[in-house]
Amino acid sequence: MKPDWDKLMGEFAGSATQLVADVDCTADGKSLCETVGVRGYPSIKWGDPSDLQDYQGGRDFDALKKFADENLKPVCSPKNLDLCDDEKKAQISKYQSMSDEDLAASIAAEEKKLDDAEAEFKAEVQKLQDKYSSLSTEKDEKIAAVKAAGLGLMKAVKNSKPAAGSDEL
């Protein structure tokens, strides 16, 4: 993916409204990656710098370029109100009128919902993993019991018998 990403960065180099860049999350960019929620590598984020979203598309140059051409453009935000519909403008106005403390509390409450959703997902996946392990162990025990009961020996005896209608004496 790196060569395709580097090529894409070259395509958008010098753009006044679009940025395609990379950040080393294991070195100097670690704090930035933590801030925007990078959890694995490589991760691709896109959108408003204060509200980056996870990219879910293809990782080859053509898919990346198509997505960038269609999506990397100025979007509705407090700095680009002219791009907002009336509903988004009203939402922005509501948030701008909140005190810093109330806005921080609202952000924390919404982020907690995200954290709770992630925790619930992980717990449910762990339950599935535990069930899978249990079923796998149960299956292995049943297979071992069938084999121990003589399945292999039965097959060996069957294969050692002369075929029906054989001329052997």
Side-chain angles (χ1 to χ4, degrees), residues 53-64:
Q53 303 299 312
D54 291 325
Y55 170 74
Q56 302 294 335
R59 300 291 176 116
D60 62 276
F61 177 78
D62 291 337
L64 292 166

Side-chain angles (χ1 to χ4, degrees), residues 40-168:
Y41 313 110
S43 290
I44 299 175
K45 299 279 191 172
W46 72 279
D48 185 294
S50 62
D51 185 30
L52 294 175
Q53 303 299 312
D54 291 325
Y55 170 74
Q56 302 294 335
R59 300 291 176 116
D60 62 276
F61 177 78
D62 291 337
L64 292 166
K65 176 78 165 90
K66 182 177 188 301
F67 181 86
D69 287 340
E70 294 172 359
N71 294 282
L72 296 187
K73 56 189 170 201
V75 294
C76 168
S77 72
K79 292 183 180 182
N80 292 309
L81 285 175
D82 57 315
L83 300 174
C84 301
D85 60 26
D86 290 339
E87 184 180 336
K88 288 291 184 191
K89 285 179 183 176
Q91 240 183 332
I92 290 169
S93 178
K94 173 187 164 191
Y95 298 144
Q96 287 175 329
S97 68
M98 295 172 77
S99 70
D100 289 347
E101 295 80 19
D102 288 345
L103 186 56
S106 293
I107 290 169
E110 295 304 310
E111 287 178 339
K112 183 176 182 335
K113 290 177 186 177
L114 294 176
D115 292 343
D116 290 349
E118 184 70 24
E120 180 183 2
F121 173 77
K122 286 181 178 179
E124 293 301 318
V125 166
Q126 185 59 52
K127 287 179 189 176
L128 289 171
Q129 183 61 42
D130 293 345
K131 181 67 174 175
Y132 172 83
S133 294
S134 171
L135 289 170
S136 182
T137 299
E138 186 179 318
K139 176 196 74 148
D140 291 345
E141 289 170 353
K142 287 178 180 179
I143 289 171
V146 167
K147 289 180 179 181
L151 175 63
L153 193 53
M154 285 186 239
K155 287 180 177 181
V157 168
K158 180 181 183 234
N159 288 334
S160 70
K161 287 185 172 187
S166 166
D167 292 345
E168 285 189 44

